[in-house]
C-alpha cells in the first residue's frame, strides 16, 4: 500500500500562454488534514480541478492512491469525495433526491448509508425539501453529504467553510478532524480563513502565483513562534521602564500603544524583566507573549500581496 | 462497476421531476383537444384520419421543440448551474455520462411522440367517424400519395419519418449545447430548423445542381416519403436521404463526444 494518498508530481497547467500552476509537487499522507493556502488567484481551485479530473494537466501527473488521474481516471476518482468551489445541487430536486442521484453513480452505496449521512450532517429535518429552499449553509452541508456518501479515502474541499455560521464551521472542523483521526480519511482543504487552517490542519502548503512557496507543520511552527516571540509588557510609566530595563541589560522598545513596551525573548526573559521593573517601582499591568498567527506568517511570506 | 442503467435513471429523474414537464404535456394534449373540439363543433363530416393528419402536420413541430428543450438543457444547464462538476467526479468516463444524457433525451422525444400520437388518435376517435372516407375531396388533398396504404399505415409511416427528423434535430441541438454550453442557442437553432428549414429550404431540392442533394437540410424532412419510398416531388429515394443523414449523424455525434471529453470544466 502506498503511504501517500495524493502525489502531485511536477504539475504544470498552462492556459493559452499563461502558466497558472508552475511545477507543483506535493504529497499528502493517508489520514492527514492538509491545508492549501494562497491569496486570491494563486491557483488553489485550479489545482483542485486537476486533482479531480475536471481540468487536463499540461505536464506532470497526479496520483491518487497510486492511480493516475489522467490515465486511470475511474480508478483514481473512486477514492475521492469532493466539493469544488460552491456545492451546486439540482435545485428542483429535494436534498434526498440529490443524494440518491449521486449514490446511484457509485457502486455499493445503500439507501441505509444515505440516511446515515443525512443524520451525520444534521439535515434530517429538511432533507425532503427542494434544494431551492435551502440556505447557503444547508447547501454546504448537503455538499459535504454527497462528498462522503461512498466513504472516500480522500476528501477534497475547496473553501468548505464559505457560508457556514460559526457553529457550523466548528462542527465541520470537528467532523473533519474526527474523520481523519478515527477513519483515516485524508482531507485536502483550501480556505481563506487562515486562522481556521491553524485549528484544523496538520500541515499547510502555501502557494502564490501557482508556485509552492512553503509547506509547514502547523503545531511545530506555533511552538517555534512562541519560543522566540516578542513579549508585550504593559506599564504605567514607559520612559522609566525602558531605562530600568536597560539598566538590567534588556533592550525594550515602545510601541504605538501608550504604555505598551515590547522586548524580544523567551519566558525566562519575561520573568527577569518583570523582576527588574517591580524592583524599580514601576507598576506592571500585564505581560503576554505576542503569538504570531499563521495568518501573520502567511502575510509576511506572501508580502501581503493581493490578487496575483 | 455500477449499472449504466442507473445513469439513465438519473437523467430521467432530472427530466421528470420538473414542473415544466406538465406544462409541455398540458400544451400538447390541450392543443389537440381544443383544435379537434372546435373542428368537430363546426363540421364533423370528416374522418378521424383526415383530422389527425392535419393536426400532425401543423402541431408535431411542438413535440420536436420540447424534445430539443429537454435535450439541450440536459447538457447546458449542468454547465450553467455548475452541477457538471459534481457529475463528472464520479467513477464514470465522460463518454458514458454524455451517452446517458443522449439516450435519456431520445427516450424523452419518444415518450412525447407517443403521448402526441395517443392523444391525437384518442381525441379524434371520440370526436369523429373512424371508418368513413369522410369528405372525399378533402381526403384526396391530404393524402395525395397514400400509395396503397391504409390511413392508419400511412399515419404510422408519417410518424416514423417525422420521428427521424426529431432525432436528427435533437442530435443537432445536443451537439450545439455541448459545444456552446448555451441552451438558448441550441433551442433557437432547432426552432429555426423546424420552422424555416423544414418548410422553405426543401425548395433547394428542386435546384438541379448535384451538390445540393448532399446538403443536410434537404433531407431533414422525410415526410415526403410517407406514401412511397420514392419521392414524387423530386424523385429522390428514402434510402438516399437516410444515407446522407447517417453521414451527418456520425459526424455530429463524433464532434459532440470529442468536445465533451476534451473540455476543461472551469465554471
Ligand atoms: N479558465 C481559465 N482561463 C484562464 N485563466 C484562468 C482560468 N481559470 C482560472 N484562471 C486563472 O488562474 C489563476 C488561478 O485561479 P484559481 O481559481 O485557481 O485561484 P484560487 O487560488 O482558487 O483563487 P480564490 O482564492 O480567489 O478562489 C487566476 O489568475 C485565474 O485568473
Ligand atoms: Mg478558488
Amino acid at each position: 500500500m502506498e503511504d501517500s494518498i495524493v502525489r502531485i508530481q511536477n504539475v504544470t497547467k498552462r492556459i493559452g500562454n499563461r502558466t497558472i500552476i508552475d511545477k507543483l509537487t506535493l504529497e499528502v499522507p493517508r489520514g492527514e488534514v492538509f491545508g492549501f493556502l494562497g491569496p486570491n488567484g494563486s491557483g488553489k481551485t485550479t489545482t483542485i480541478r486537476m486533482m479531480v479530473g475536471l481540468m487536463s494537466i499540461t505536464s506532470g501527473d497526479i496520483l491518487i492512491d497510486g492511480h493516475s488521474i489522467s490515465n486511470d481516471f475511474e480508478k483514481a476518482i473512486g477514492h475521492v469525495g469532493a466539493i469544488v468551489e460552491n456545492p451546486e445541487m439540482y435545485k428542483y430536486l429535494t436534498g434526498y433526491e440529490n443524494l440518491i442521484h449521486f449514490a446511484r453513480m457509485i457502486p455499493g452505496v445503500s439507501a441505509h448509508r444515505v440516511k446515515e449521512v443525512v443524520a451525520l450532517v444534521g439535515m434530517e429535518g429538511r432533507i425532503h425539501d427542494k434544494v431551492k429552499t435551502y440556505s447557503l449553509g444547508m447547501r454546504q452541508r448537503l455538499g459535504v453529504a454527497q462528498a462522503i456518501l461512498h466513504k472516500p479515502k480522500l476528501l477534497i474541499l475547496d473553501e468548505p467553510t464559505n457560508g457556514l455560521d460559526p457553529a457550523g464551521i466548528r462542527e465541520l472542523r470537528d467532523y473533519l478532524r474526527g474523520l481523519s483521526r478515527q477513519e483515516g480519511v485524508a482531507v485536502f482543504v483550501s480556505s481563506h480563513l487562515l486562522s481556521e487552517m491553524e485549528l484544523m490542519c496538520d500541515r499547510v502548503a502555501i502557494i502564490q502565483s501557482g508556485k509552492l512557496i512553503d509547506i509547514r507543520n502547523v503545531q511545530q511552527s506555533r511552538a517555534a513562534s512562541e519560543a522566540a516571540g516578542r513579549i508585550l509588557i504593559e506599564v504605567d510609566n514607559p520612559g522609566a521602564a525602558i531605562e530600568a530595563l536597560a539598566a538590567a541589560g534588556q533592550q525594550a522598545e515602545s510601541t504605538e500603544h501608550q504604555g505598551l513596551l515590547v522586548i524580544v525573548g523567551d519566558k525566562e526573559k519575561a520573568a527577569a524583566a518583570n523582576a527588574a521593573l517591580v524592583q524599580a517601582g514601576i507598576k506592571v499591568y500585564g505581560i503576554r507573549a505576542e503569538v504570531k498567527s499563521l495568518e501573520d506568517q502567511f502575510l509576511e511570506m506572501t508580502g501581503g500581496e493581493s490578487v496575483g | 462497476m455500477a449499472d449504466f442503467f442507473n445513469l439513465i435513471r438519473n437523467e430521467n429523474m432530472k427530466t421528470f421531476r420538473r414542473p415544466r414537464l406538465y406544462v409541455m404535456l398540458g400544451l400538447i394534449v390541450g392543443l389537440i383537444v381544443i383544435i379537434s373540439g372546435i373542428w368537430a363543433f363546426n363540421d364533423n363530416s370528416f374522418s378521424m384520419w383526415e383530422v389527425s393528419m392535419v393536426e400532425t402536420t401543423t402541431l408535431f413541430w411542438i413535440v420536436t421543440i420540447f424534445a430539443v428543450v429537454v435535450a439541450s438543457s440536459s447538457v447546458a444547464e449542468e454547465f450553467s448551474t455548475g452541477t457538471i462538476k459534481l457529475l463528472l467526479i464520479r467513477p464514470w468516463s465522460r463518454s458514458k455520462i454524455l451517452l446517458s444524457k443522449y439516450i435519456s433525451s431520445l427516450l424523452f422525444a419518444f415518450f412525447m411522440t407517443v403521448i402526441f400520437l395517443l392523444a391525437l388518435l384518442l381525441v379524434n376517435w371520440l370526436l369523429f367517424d373512424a371508418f368513413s372516407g369522410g369528405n372525399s375531396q378533402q381526403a384526396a388533398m391530404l393524402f395525395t400519395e397514400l400509395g396503397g396504404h391504409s390511413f392508419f399505415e400511412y399515419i404510422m409511416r408519417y410518424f416514423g419519418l417525422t420521428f427521424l427528423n426529431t432525432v436528427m434535430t435533437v442530435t443537432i441541438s445536443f451537439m450545439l449545447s455541448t459545444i456552446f454550453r448555451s441552451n438558448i442557442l441550441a433551442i433557437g437553432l432547432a426552432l429555426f430548423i423546424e420552422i424555416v428549414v423544414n418548410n422553405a429550404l426543401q425548395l433547394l431540392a428542386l435546384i438541379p445542381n448535384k451538390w445540393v442533394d448532399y446538403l443536410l437540410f434537404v433531407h431533414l424532412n422525410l415526410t415526403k416519403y410517407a406514401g412511397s419510398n420514392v419521392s414524387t416531388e423530386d424523385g429522390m429515394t428514402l434510402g438516399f436521404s437516410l444515407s446522407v443523414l447517417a453521414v451527418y449523424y456520425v459526424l455530429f455525434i463524433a464532434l459532440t463526444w470529442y468536445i465533451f471529453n476534451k473540455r476543461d470544466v472551469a465554471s
Side-chain angles (χ1 to χ4, degrees):
Chain A
M1 197 163 93
E2 285 249 356
D3 47 327
S4 292
I5 185 78
V6 182
R7 286 173 192 273
I8 299 179
Q9 298 173 331
N10 208 19
V11 164
T12 296
K13 175 71 184 176
R14 265 190 293 276
I15 298 183
N17 52 14
R18 280 193 59 195
T19 302
I20 293 171
I21 300 295
D22 194 6
K23 301 197 191 87
L24 183 68
T25 299
L26 274 183
E27 282 194 24
V28 181
R30 287 171 193 283
E32 184 176 81
V33 182
F34 187 86
F36 199 46
L37 218 61
N40 285 131
S42 53
K44 303 183 294 294
T45 301
T46 305
T47 306
I48 287 177
R49 284 205 178 105
M50 289 190 288
M51 290 172 75
V52 295
L54 290 176
M55 272 188 164
S56 62
I57 299 169
T58 308
S59 71
D61 201 0
I62 296 176
L63 303 183
I64 291 172
D65 205 20
H67 303 287
S68 158
I69 196 76
S70 14
N71 303 324
D72 201 0
F73 174 77
E74 287 164 60
K75 274 219 177 93
I77 203 74
H79 305 295
V80 179
I83 303 180
V84 184
E85 289 182 310
N86 304 317
E88 285 98 357
M89 296 285 171
Y90 300 103
K91 292 197 171 64
Y92 49 87
L93 298 180
T94 66
Y96 188 74
E97 286 167 341
N98 268 285
L99 292 181
I100 290 292
H101 176 277
F102 294 116
R104 276 188 194 143
M105 298 186 77
I106 306 160
V109 181
S110 62
H112 176 257
R113 172 66 184 164
V114 174
K115 291 225 168 66
E116 192 178 288
V117 167
V118 169
L120 212 69
V121 297
M123 285 287 294
E124 295 110 313
R126 297 289 305 274
I127 198 69
H128 292 291
D129 292 349
K130 291 239 189 311
V131 169
K132 65 179 166 216
T133 68
Y134 285 8
S135 70
L136 181 55
M138 290 159 80
R139 265 179 259 165
Q140 201 65 263
R141 283 162 193 254
L142 195 60
V144 172
Q146 65 74 32
I148 59 174
L149 270 179
H150 54 301
K151 303 195 173 167
K153 294 178 188 166
L154 170 67
L155 201 54
I156 300 178
L157 306 170
D158 195 4
E159 299 182 31
T161 51
N162 188 6
L164 291 182
D165 57 21
I169 291 178
R170 198 200 167 101
E171 234 173 79
L172 180 72
R173 189 170 70 218
D174 293 347
Y175 175 67
L176 292 181
R177 287 220 70 92
L179 266 187
S180 131
R181 292 272 152 74
Q182 284 137 36
E183 301 188 29
V185 176
V187 183
F188 186 99
V189 57
S190 85
S191 172
H192 275 154
L193 296 173
L194 310 172
S195 47
E196 268 303 313
M197 295 293 232
E198 278 188 304
L199 294 170
M200 188 154 61
C201 300
D202 301 312
R203 285 192 307 151
V204 172
I206 297 171
I207 65 164
Q208 188 183 23
S209 311
K211 290 197 180 75
L212 182 70
I213 50 180
D214 197 19
I215 297 185
R216 53 181 56 204
N217 187 309
V218 173
Q219 308 309 330
Q220 273 172 17
S221 67
R222 189 206 301 260
S225 79
E226 266 169 25
R230 285 150 45 99
I231 295 162
L232 298 172
I233 305 175
E234 196 177 353
V235 294
D236 62 343
N237 185 346
I242 290 176
E243 275 168 31
L245 284 172
Q250 290 207 36
Q251 196 193 346
E253 281 165 24
S254 55
T255 64
E256 65 262 38
H257 300 287
Q258 179 62 33
L260 205 58
L261 301 180
V262 61
I263 61 173
V264 178
D266 57 9
K267 289 177 192 165
E268 294 306 319
K269 279 214 161 160
N274 185 32
L277 291 173
V278 171
Q279 229 158 37
I282 294 163
K283 281 186 187 159
V284 178
Y285 299 129
I287 300 181
R288 61 193 157 87
E290 184 193 57
V291 179
K292 248 196 217 167
S293 66
L294 191 58
E295 181 154 5
D296 298 323
Q297 297 175 29
F298 167 73
L299 286 176
E300 226 165 67
M301 234 179 302
T302 59
E305 188 186 308
S306 59
V307 183
Chain B
M1 267 296 88
D3 208 349
F4 178 72
F5 184 62
N6 275 341
L7 296 192
I8 299 178
R9 272 171 78 196
N10 274 345
E11 296 308 319
N12 290 346
M13 172 171 79
K14 286 183 269 185
T15 304
F16 281 89
R17 292 287 160 87
R18 297 182 69 166
R20 68 174 186 197
L21 175 73
Y22 302 100
V23 177
M24 292 176 182
L25 289 176
L27 259 170
I28 287 178
V29 176
L31 274 172
I32 291 174
V33 169
I34 290 171
I35 292 179
S36 292
I38 294 176
W39 193 328
F41 183 75
N42 285 318
D43 179 1
N44 66 357
S45 69
F46 290 82
S47 88
M48 66 174 274
W49 305 111
E50 293 167 77
V51 179
S52 298
M53 214 38 233
V54 169
E55 286 177 351
T56 305
T57 49
T58 50
L59 295 180
F60 193 81
W61 64 276
I62 299 177
V63 169
T64 306
I65 292 304
F66 288 166
V68 158
V69 168
V70 166
S72 61
S73 61
S74 166
V75 177
E77 275 187 12
E78 299 271 2
F79 279 98
S80 63
T81 60
T83 46
I84 189 76
K85 291 180 290 189
L86 290 182
L87 199 63
L88 292 185
I89 57 167
R90 311 290 152 179
W92 287 97
S93 68
R94 288 193 184 186
S95 290
K96 284 182 187 153
I97 289 190
L98 193 62
L99 183 64
S100 71
K101 286 189 168 293
Y102 184 64
I103 291 176
S104 169
S105 299
L106 292 185
L107 285 175
F108 181 76
F110 185 70
F111 169 78
M112 289 306 257
T113 304
V114 169
I115 294 283
F116 183 90
L117 185 61
L118 288 181
L120 189 74
L121 295 180
L122 185 69
V123 168
N124 291 331
W125 177 66
L126 290 175
L127 292 176
F128 296 94
D129 185 352
F131 299 106
S132 84
N135 184 329
S136 59
Q137 216 183 342
Q138 291 284 342
M141 267 170 60
L142 283 164
F143 296 90
T144 40
E145 320 141 34
L146 207 49
H149 299 290
S150 73
F151 288 138
F152 183 70
E153 273 172 7
Y154 183 86
I155 285 206
M156 291 317 283
R157 272 179 72 94
Y158 189 96
F159 263 83
L161 293 167
T162 309
F163 186 68
L164 284 181
N165 167 289
T166 305
V167 167
M168 244 3 238
T169 314
V170 162
T171 305
I172 293 170
S173 58
F174 195 75
M175 170 181 74
L176 291 174
S177 70
T178 302
I179 297 175
F180 299 106
R181 285 164 294 172
S182 147
N183 51 6
I184 300 297
L185 193 81
I187 293 167
L189 201 102
L191 263 169
F192 180 77
I193 290 175
E194 281 303 300
I195 293 168
V196 179
V197 174
N198 274 350
N199 297 313
L201 278 185
Q202 279 190 75
L203 297 175
L204 269 181
L206 303 176
I207 300 174
N209 279 344
K210 208 73 206 114
W211 60 268
V212 174
D213 291 352
Y214 298 95
L215 285 181
L216 170 69
F217 297 132
V218 173
H219 301 281
L220 270 181
N221 188 345
L222 294 168
T223 54
K224 61 187 176 191
Y225 300 113
S228 93
N229 291 350
V230 182
S231 166
T232 51
E233 292 167 28
D234 48 30
M236 278 197 253
T237 65
L238 178 60
F240 175 69
S241 284
L242 288 180
S243 311
V244 173
L245 286 181
V247 171
Y248 280 104
Y249 181 84
V250 169
L251 266 173
F252 292 160
I253 292 285
L255 187 64
T256 310
W257 259 257
Y258 173 75
I259 290 196
F260 189 73
N261 274 314
K262 222 181 130 254
R263 161 157 288 143
D264 271 356
V265 177
S267 51

